[in-house]
């Protein structure tokens, strides 16, 4: 690629976060429409309609109208190449979202203007703010009755603790929406169905005067470090305010950023050595071919099809010849890619989430991606004993994907599944039946408090009916405590034993 530096400057990689139903998938579709990727944006929950959101590709998502896996979508707009990572909207899938947020350079937060900041948005915001990357806010659904824009902006500052800078301002909302006033150009963009409401107009202009006198200063450096969020108002469904948002976003969003390794080296995107990390693994994206794809975020150097790389964890050499880029389930073979791009590497079981790959001789390792401590547990068994082979294959693949966590009883061969939320079990069961043709049965063992113990401190006699001893998928010992009381009782009894929780 002769113009590597130019390509690198064009890249913008971001994720969209929101509470379920704030309109994240609809906004994603409108952005794809701007990029000419899809010809029409489908209303996500069109009852009985054939059209489903382009980014919700898994059968269970299409049935229920929620996003449960992160998909990757790429398009070009006004000279920039945009990679959107669509994150799960459902709160049970915070783990997948968390990993996805490690693979982006900026974040767009979609908030329902009638509801304001909701719990899931707050939780995801906290994760993003730890990384110190730019956050852009889009208040959606202003073509319906919304809360006062002054209240909404104030709520961002008080609830999330980040300064806000409105880039535009709604005049009215719902049936009396007059339009959006662009604060950069001092022009009103009238709403297509607006009825004339002079007093609404006047009130809006008063609010704008107030903002100009008492609002925050615009500060590009503060935006770049995630200390100030540019705020936009609009309606994704009515495609109102979306173009302005996209243009302003592209003006201030960063190109691909450098990344630190575990030994504190900073790898710049234009470093000659190709490096990247796996932030997601997905099996069976195409039901016709039972395949597995490892999603790799390129951090530095140029990817070329057929290049040789080393998988850092196993020191295994591999050739990257079968690699794709995405538009949800549609993919195309990719010849070259640059930092900021997400490539899908066909995987025969080599990769795990968090793996680093690199070209050349110099070893590189990026920090591990965190795992969460599960809270809900179920024993799992196959209904048909004859299908053991498919059963084990299904469990192995779905566990490697990070869909669910697997534990085994310490003695014996019972499988116990752990999840952050109940919906993960439903997805697991659905996919086992639909993708591996195995019916399974759950035996709930309820919510538990999981804690890891160092093997050299373990005495099997420590286990009791109130703390089950199991092994995780790496054969490390874990206690599943009945509740916090059982955990505290154990700590009092064995004060010298170190127990570890994941995130």
């Amino acid at each position: 690629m002769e113009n590597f530096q130019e390509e690198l400057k064009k890249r913008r990689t971001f994720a969209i976060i929101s509470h379920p139903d704030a309109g994240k998938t609809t906004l994603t579709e409108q952005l794809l429409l701007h990029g000419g990727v899809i010809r029409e944006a489908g209303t996500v929950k069109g009852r009985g309609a054939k059209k489903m959101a382009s980014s919700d590709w898994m059968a269970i998502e299409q049935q229920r109208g929620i996003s449960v896996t992160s998909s990757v979508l790429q398009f070009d707009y006004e000279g920039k190449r945009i990679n959107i990572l669509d994150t799960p909207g459902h709160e049970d899938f915070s783990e997948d979202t968390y990993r996805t947020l490690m693979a982006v350079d900026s974040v767009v937060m979609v908030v329902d203007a009638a509801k304001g900041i909701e719990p899931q948005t707050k939780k995801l915001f906290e994760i993003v703010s730890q990384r110190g990357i730019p956050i852009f806010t889009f208040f959606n659904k202003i073509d319906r009755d919304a809360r006062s824009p002054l209240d909404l902006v104030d709520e961002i500052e008080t609830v999330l603790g980040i300064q806000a800078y409105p880039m535009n301002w709604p005049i009215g909302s719902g049936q009396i929406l007059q339009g959006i006033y662009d604060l950069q150009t001092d022009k009103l963009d009238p709403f297509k169905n607006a009825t004339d409401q002079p007093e609404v107009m006047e009130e809006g202009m008063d609010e704008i005067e107030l903002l100009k006198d008492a609002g925050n200063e615009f500060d590009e450096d503060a935006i770049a470090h995630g200390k100030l969020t540019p705020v936009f108002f609009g309606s994704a469904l009515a495609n109102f305010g979306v173009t302005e948002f996209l243009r302003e976003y592209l003006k201030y969003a960063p190109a691909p950023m450098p990344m630190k390794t575990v030994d504190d080296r900073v790898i710049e995107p234009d470093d000659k050595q190709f490096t990247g990390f796996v932030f997601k693994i997905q099996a069976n994206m195409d039901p016709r071919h039972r395949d597995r794809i490892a999603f790799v975020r390129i951090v530095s150097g140029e990817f070329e099809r057929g290049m040789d790389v080393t998988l850092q964890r196993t020191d295994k050499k591999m050739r990257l010849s079968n690699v794709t880029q995405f538009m949800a389930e549609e993919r195309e073979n990719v010849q070259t890619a640059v930092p900021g791009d997400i490539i899908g590497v066909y995987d025969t079981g080599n990769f795990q989430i968090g793996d680093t790959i690199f070209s050349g001789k110099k070893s590189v390792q990026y920090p591990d991606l965190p795992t969460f401590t599960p809270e809900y547990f179920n024993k799992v068994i196959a209904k048909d004993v004859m299908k053991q082979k498919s059963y084990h294959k299904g469990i192995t693949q779905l566990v490697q994907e990070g869909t669910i966590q697997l534990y085994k009883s310490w003695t014996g061969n019972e499988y116990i599944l752990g999840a952050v939320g109940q919906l993960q079990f439903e997805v697991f069961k659905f996919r086992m039946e639909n993708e591996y043709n195995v019916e399974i049965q759950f035996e709930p063992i309820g919510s538990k408090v999981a804690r890891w113990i160092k093997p050299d401190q373990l005495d099997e006699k420590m286990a009791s009916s109130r703390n089950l001893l199991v092994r995780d998928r790496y054969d490390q010992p874990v206690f599943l405590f009945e509740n916090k009381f059982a955990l505290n009782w154990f700590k009092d009894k064995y004060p010298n034993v170190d127990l570890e929780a994941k995130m």
Side-chain angles (χ1 to χ4, degrees), residues 76-233:
D76 293 325
Y77 186 74
E78 297 195 344
K80 297 283 192 280
R81 165 72 51 101
I82 298 162
N83 295 303
I84 303 184
L85 277 65
D86 186 20
T87 58
H90 198 283
E91 60 224 338
D92 288 356
F93 287 82
S94 48
E95 236 180 313
D96 201 30
T97 307
Y98 193 107
R99 298 185 197 119
T100 299
L101 294 176
M102 298 296 140
V104 298
D105 301 307
S106 57
V107 165
V108 171
M109 178 166 69
V110 178
V111 181
D112 183 332
K115 295 178 179 164
I117 304 294
E118 296 177 88
Q120 181 69 355
T121 322
K122 186 168 186 278
K123 199 163 145 191
L124 293 170
F125 173 84
E126 282 159 6
I127 293 167
V128 178
S129 60
Q130 286 167 10
R131 285 198 56 207
I133 58 176
I135 297 165
F136 297 79
T137 304
F138 186 82
F139 279 113
N140 191 21
K141 305 188 184 182
I142 59 154
D143 54 337
R144 301 184 190 172
D145 290 338
R147 286 171 49 187
S148 137
L150 287 171
D151 276 359
L152 291 169
V153 170
D154 180 58
E155 188 173 56
I156 284 189
E157 300 195 337
T158 50
V159 175
L160 300 182
I162 183 174
Q163 297 297 302
Y165 184 89
M167 305 293 278
N168 62 18
W169 199 254
I171 310 285
S173 71
Q175 303 204 329
I176 53 169
L177 176 63
Q178 303 297 288
I180 295 174
Y181 193 87
D182 186 328
L183 295 166
Q184 315 307 300
T185 59
D186 277 326
K187 282 192 188 123
L188 178 73
D189 180 9
F191 188 54
K192 57 180 186 281
N193 304 330
T195 51
D196 193 27
Q197 304 271 350
E199 64 287 0
V200 175
M201 201 67 215
E202 196 181 324
E203 190 186 338
M205 295 316 288
D206 288 347
E207 289 174 345
I208 289 167
E209 281 311 305
L210 186 67
L211 283 177
K212 287 181 174 170
D213 293 342
N216 290 316
E217 292 287 311
F218 185 76
D219 179 346
E220 248 182 275
D221 189 57
I223 292 172
H225 291 93
K227 302 268 184 264
L228 179 74
T229 177
V231 174
F232 301 84
F233 290 84

Side-chain angles (χ1 to χ4, degrees), residues 7 20 48 73 80-81 95 160 166 170 222 236 242 265 296 302 306 313 338 436 493:
E7 283 298 323
L73 311 153
K80 297 283 192 280
R81 165 72 51 101
E95 236 180 313
L160 300 182
V242 177
R265 270 182 22 232
V296 176
E302 183 183 350
R313 178 176 44 83
V338 302
Y436 300 95
K493 190 170 176 187

Side-chain angles (χ1 to χ4, degrees), residues 29 40-54 56-57 59 61-63 329:
E29 293 227 313
E40 53 172 323
T43 302
V44 185
K45 287 193 174 151
R47 289 248 174 265
K50 293 280 184 289
K51 184 84 187 73
M52 281 295 175
S54 311
D56 289 354
W57 62 264
E61 303 189 338
Q62 298 197 344
Q63 281 181 8
E329 70 193 6

Side-chain angles (χ1 to χ4, degrees), residues 285-445:
M285 282 186 73
D286 183 344
R288 292 166 306 204
H289 315 286
R290 290 279 174 245
D291 60 355
R292 259 173 65 126
I293 289 184
F295 289 64
V296 176
R297 154 77 197 231
I298 302 177
V299 180
S300 69
E302 183 183 350
F303 163 80
E304 285 177 347
R305 189 172 171 185
M307 75 190 296
D308 292 317
V309 296
T310 304
L311 173 56
Q312 180 274 329
R313 178 176 44 83
T314 58
D315 209 27
K316 186 175 177 176
K317 309 273 182 282
M318 48 182 71
R319 177 157 290 174
L320 300 182
S321 45
N322 200 350
V323 173
T324 63
Q325 272 176 332
F326 307 91
M327 165 63 220
E329 70 193 6
E330 287 159 33
R331 332 180 198 155
E332 30 191 292
N333 257 319
V334 57
Q335 301 299 327
T336 59
V338 302
D341 285 342
I342 309 295
I343 54 174
V345 179
Y346 280 85
D347 177 25
T348 51
N350 294 313
F351 292 108
Q352 288 178 11
I353 288 167
D355 277 346
T356 302
I357 55 174
F358 60 88
S359 66
K361 297 220 162 63
K362 193 172 184 185
S363 180
V364 174
Q365 184 185 356
Y366 291 115
D368 268 350
L369 296 183
T371 40
F372 282 58
T373 303
E375 291 166 29
Y376 301 96
F377 295 87
N378 272 318
K379 281 184 187 165
V380 60
I381 37 182
K383 284 185 181 173
D384 183 347
V385 186
M386 305 307 285
K387 288 195 173 167
Q388 288 296 326
K389 195 175 168 195
S390 309
Y391 169 68
H392 288 292
K393 182 184 175 188
I395 285 191
T396 307
Q397 291 202 342
L398 294 179
V399 165
Q400 280 172 337
E401 249 185 60
T403 312
I404 205 147
Q405 297 185 27
L406 176 68
Y407 302 87
K408 287 180 192 147
S409 51
W410 190 255
T411 50
N413 260 338
E414 282 188 319
Y415 278 180
I416 296 168
L417 299 177
V420 178
Q422 291 292 358
L423 183 69
Q424 280 175 271
F425 293 119
E426 285 178 48
V427 170
F428 179 82
K429 189 169 197 264
F430 180 90
R431 293 187 62 188
M432 284 294 279
E433 286 171 14
N434 282 273
E435 293 169 20
Y436 300 95
N437 203 14
V438 178
E439 284 197 31
I440 58 165
Q441 206 173 327
F442 287 134
E443 267 180 45
I445 55 172

